[in-house]
């Protein structure tokens, strides 16, 4: 059964397209043009009560019944549970996946997202404080990730949904004004992921 991916070409949308490709799940993209306010439409609100993309509809949900899911982290965990892929079964191995997925959701997303906002402002006075604050925190988070990857291939050792979540935002490093060469372990991890055929398909999927 084909999963509906309601999304737009954003880091949070890319997390899900990459995961779907890596898990080998059939899906179709239903663009939600956030530049035109389509995320506020009543139909989308039924899927995503917070009016944020992405959301999915899985016609083959639990018990074979359709289910809709919003929030990218929840979607990733659901897809990992559904397929048994990229989400380890032993609790000890699952804990770091939870940790690094929540790290992305709580930090490496909201703070770079603020960089996206302030960098687009035309008034230099308006831009200055926000960029100084949020770019500094964004670079700190890249440093946290770099240290984590110093002695491991992926953030939770085995490739997991946490890597897909983080990759969605690391993909926008040029917009963060971050040179990956400043964070060599992140650069190695990023290049290894982007070289994976399924990840490449997920990154190139037309989401808008």
């Amino acid at each position: 059964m084909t999963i509906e991916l309601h999304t737009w070409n954003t880091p949070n949308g890319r997390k899900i397209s990459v995961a779907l490709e890596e898990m080998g799940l059939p899906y179709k993209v239903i663009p939600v043009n956030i530049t035109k306010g389509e995320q506020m439409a009543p139909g989308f609100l039924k899927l995503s009560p917070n009016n944020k993309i992405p959301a999915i509809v899985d016609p083959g949900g639990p018990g074979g019944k359709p289910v809709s899911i919003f929030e990218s982290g929840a979607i990733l965990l659901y897809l990992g549970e559904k397929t048994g892929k990229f989400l380890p079964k032993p609790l000890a191995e699952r804990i770091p996946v939870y940790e690094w997925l929540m790290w992305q959701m709580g930090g490496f997303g909201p703070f770079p997202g603020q960089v996206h906002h302030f960098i687009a402002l035309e008034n230099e006075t308006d831009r200055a404080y926000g960029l100084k604050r949020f770019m500094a925190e964004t670079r700190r988070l890249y440093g946290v990730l770099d240290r984590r990857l110093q002695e491991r291939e992926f953030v939770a050792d085995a490739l997991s949904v946490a890597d897909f979540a983080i990759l969605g935002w690391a993909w926008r490093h040029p917009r963060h004004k971050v040179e990956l060469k400043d964070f060599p372990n992140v650069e190695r991890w990023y290049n290894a992921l982007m070289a994976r055929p399924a990840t490449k398909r997920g990154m190139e999927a037309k989401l808008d």
Side-chain angles (χ1 to χ4, degrees), residues 89-159:
K89 291 192 181 300
L91 181 58
E93 296 175 24
R94 193 177 284 221
I95 288 169
V97 177
Y98 289 158
E99 289 176 328
W100 286 93
L101 179 59
M102 297 308 121
W103 175 83
Q104 185 279 304
M105 299 294 294
F108 196 71
F111 284 98
Q114 291 297 318
V115 173
H116 294 182
H117 171 77
F118 282 99
I119 210 166
L121 297 181
E122 294 183 4
N123 186 295
E124 183 58 33
T125 302
D126 292 341
R127 294 177 63 193
Y129 171 75
L131 281 178
K132 181 178 179 181
R133 173 178 170 80
F134 292 112
M135 288 182 86
E137 178 63 6
T138 294
R139 288 190 67 85
R140 188 191 72 81
L141 291 166
Y142 273 95
V144 171
L145 181 59
D146 197 68
R147 290 191 296 275
R148 176 65 180 180
L149 291 168
Q150 188 169 358
E151 298 178 354
R152 50 181 50 81
E153 187 175 5
F154 303 109
V155 293
D157 293 316
L159 181 61

Side-chain angles (χ1 to χ4, degrees), residues 29-55:
V29 174
I30 300 178
V32 180
N33 190 335
I34 59 176
T35 69
K36 295 182 178 179
E38 291 180 0
Q39 73 275 22
M40 307 304 292
F44 184 69
L45 179 63
K46 291 180 180 179
L47 303 179
S48 180
N50 197 32
N51 296 110
K52 301 289 186 181
I53 59 97

Side-chain angles (χ1 to χ4, degrees), residues 19 23-25 77-87 89:
M23 294 174 185
L25 290 169
L77 291 174
Y78 168 76
L79 294 175
E81 292 279 1
K82 176 183 175 72
T83 62
K85 297 178 179 179
F86 307 110
L87 187 62
K89 291 192 181 300

Side-chain angles (χ1 to χ4, degrees), residues 24-25 38 40 58-59 61-62 69-70 91 94 129 143 167 178 206 208:
L25 290 169
E38 291 180 0
M40 307 304 292
D58 182 3
I69 303 155
F70 73 102
L91 181 58
R94 193 177 284 221
Y129 171 75
L167 181 68
V178 168
K206 184 170 176 53
D208 53 17

Side-chain angles (χ1 to χ4, degrees), residues 146 149 179-192:
D146 197 68
L149 291 168
E179 294 284 349
L180 290 188
K181 63 181 176 56
D182 295 341
F183 303 96
N185 299 310
V186 175
E187 184 177 41
R188 183 263 308 158
W189 165 88
Y190 180 86
N191 289 338

Side-chain angles (χ1 to χ4, degrees), residues 8-26:
W8 195 242
N9 186 26
T10 71
N12 288 332
R14 287 292 166 195
K15 298 177 192 176
I16 310 306
S17 59
V18 167
L20 289 165
E21 291 285 355
E22 286 282 0
M23 294 174 185
L25 290 169

